[in-house]
């Protein structure tokens, strides 16, 4: 619904009862309306090379951009290199603003990650969509335990791509499994995802898988 503002001689967009946000359907004149995300998300990139040292690894992390709206997300997605074209050893990390994509961050240090390694030769045509749908599940908050999600990573390696979703905690099996199942379904991942906590150096005798 458009409403006239006599002081500014402007047409203001007003959401109707049935709409939550102002969209171009409410405001056919000003095409700059945006759809805010519930959280802001930051895209990071790194390519630390083959030999990495945990003490210096952080230096290779580059913070690229933070998006706050759906439109800004697509603007970034359409203008950065696709995952399948990244150099070997690169990673994209999409994390909630304020969380660094590293184990040491307070939001991650008690958490873990769901991940799967997808053979490069079999997945090259699918990896961009899997990564896209992983990011959409994050920014669209597809997860029942949304607060438990910290971010997602795509890693490009010589023989495989790895998709990972990082969680805030790693002790509640029901919550962790629920997140894994949602990721698998949302990103249409075929194959088995395995959960690993960031801090347990000894892997579980029976790893959690979906
Ligand atoms: P990786 O990319 O997560 O594993 O970490 P990958 O691809 O299986 O490589 P591999 O060498 O472990 O087989 C690679 C290396 O980057 C780690 O061994 C660390 O040296 C460093 N590194 C990665 N991450 C995500 C972190 C982190 O969060 N903190 C620190 N300090 N180092 C990290």
């Amino acid at each position: 619904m458009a409403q006239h503002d006599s002081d500014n001689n402007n047409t203001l967009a007003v959401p109707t009862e049935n709409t939550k946000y102002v969209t171009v359907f409410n405001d056919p004149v000003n095409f700059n309306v945006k759809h805010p995300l519930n959280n802001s998300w930051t895209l990071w990139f790194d390519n630390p090379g083959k030999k990495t040292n945990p003490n210096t690894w952080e230096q290779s992390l580059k913070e690229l951009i933070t998006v706050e709206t759906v439109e800004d997300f697509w603007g970034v997605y359409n203008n950065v290199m696709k995952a399948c074209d990244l150099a070997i050893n690169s990673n994209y990390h999409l994390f909630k603003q304020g969380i660094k994509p590293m184990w040491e961050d307070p939001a991650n240090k008690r958490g873990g990650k769901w991940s799967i390694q997808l053979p490069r030769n079999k997945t090259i045509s699918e990896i961009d969509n899997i990564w896209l749908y992983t990011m959409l599940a994050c920014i669209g908050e597809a997860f029942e335990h949304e607060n438990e999600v910290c971010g997602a990573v795509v890693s490009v390696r010589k023989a495989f791509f790895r998709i990972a979703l990082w969680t805030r905690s790693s002790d509640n099996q029901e919550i962790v499994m629920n997140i894994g199942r949602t990721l698998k379904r949302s990103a249409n991942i075929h194959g088995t995802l395995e959960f690993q906590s960031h801090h347990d150096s000894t892997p579980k005798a029976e790893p959690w898988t979906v």
Side-chain angles (χ1 to χ4, degrees):
M1 187 203 298
Q3 187 173 290
H4 199 252
D5 171 3
S6 51
D7 290 343
N8 296 320
N9 204 24
N10 257 338
T11 301
L12 297 178
V14 180
T16 67
E17 276 172 22
N18 301 327
T19 55
K20 197 164 171 200
Y21 299 114
V22 178
T23 71
V24 287
F25 297 114
N26 303 99
D27 184 355
V29 182
N30 301 304
F31 282 89
N32 57 357
V33 286
K34 290 191 177 179
H35 301 76
L37 298 170
N38 211 24
N39 280 289
S40 300
W41 293 80
T42 303
L43 183 67
W44 303 74
F45 171 80
D46 76 304
N47 186 343
K50 226 172 159 197
K51 287 215 168 14
T52 41
N53 173 344
N55 300 322
T56 54
W57 171 85
E58 188 182 356
Q59 291 162 17
S60 67
L61 261 184
K62 290 187 178 52
E63 185 175 337
L64 299 182
I65 194 162
T66 297
V67 293
E68 294 178 10
T69 66
V70 175
E71 287 75 5
D72 291 346
F73 170 80
W74 286 111
V76 170
Y77 179 76
N78 289 326
N79 284 286
V80 296
M81 210 177 255
K82 298 275 179 277
C84 74
D85 293 328
L86 290 179
I88 307 292
N89 295 320
S90 308
N91 308 279
Y92 272 139
H93 317 253
L94 185 73
F95 274 65
K96 282 180 181 153
Q97 186 178 31
I99 304 180
K100 275 193 168 185
M102 43 195 306
W103 316 314
E104 294 88 343
D105 189 282
N108 297 322
K109 70 177 183 204
R110 271 186 284 277
K113 66 176 181 190
W114 277 110
S115 69
I116 184 168
Q117 291 188 177
L118 302 157
R120 196 184 171 86
N121 53 359
K122 289 200 191 141
T123 332
I124 192 127
S125 60
E126 294 166 48
I127 189 64
D128 292 331
N129 276 344
I130 295 175
W131 173 234
L132 173 61
Y133 285 110
T134 300
M135 291 193 290
L136 291 177
C138 288
I139 67 166
E141 304 198 350
F143 300 92
E144 196 179 323
H145 303 281
E146 206 292 313
N147 279 343
E148 281 288 315
V149 173
C150 294
V153 186
V154 62
S155 303
V156 180
R157 299 292 181 269
K158 200 168 169 203
F160 58 85
F161 296 103
R162 183 172 52 230
I163 292 281
L165 188 88
W166 287 34
T167 59
R168 191 177 284 275
S169 60
S170 57
D171 46 0
N172 186 321
Q173 189 172 7
E174 203 183 311
I175 293 177
V176 168
M177 294 297 285
N178 188 306
I179 292 171
R181 281 192 290 267
T182 306
L183 171 65
K184 189 170 182 176
R185 193 178 56 243
S186 308
N188 198 19
I189 295 173
H190 302 286
T192 303
L193 286 144
E194 191 170 318
F195 187 78
Q196 230 184 335
S197 108
H198 297 312
H199 47 279
D200 284 350
S201 44
T202 25
K204 291 186 175 58
E206 288 268 336
W208 296 348
T209 57
V210 289

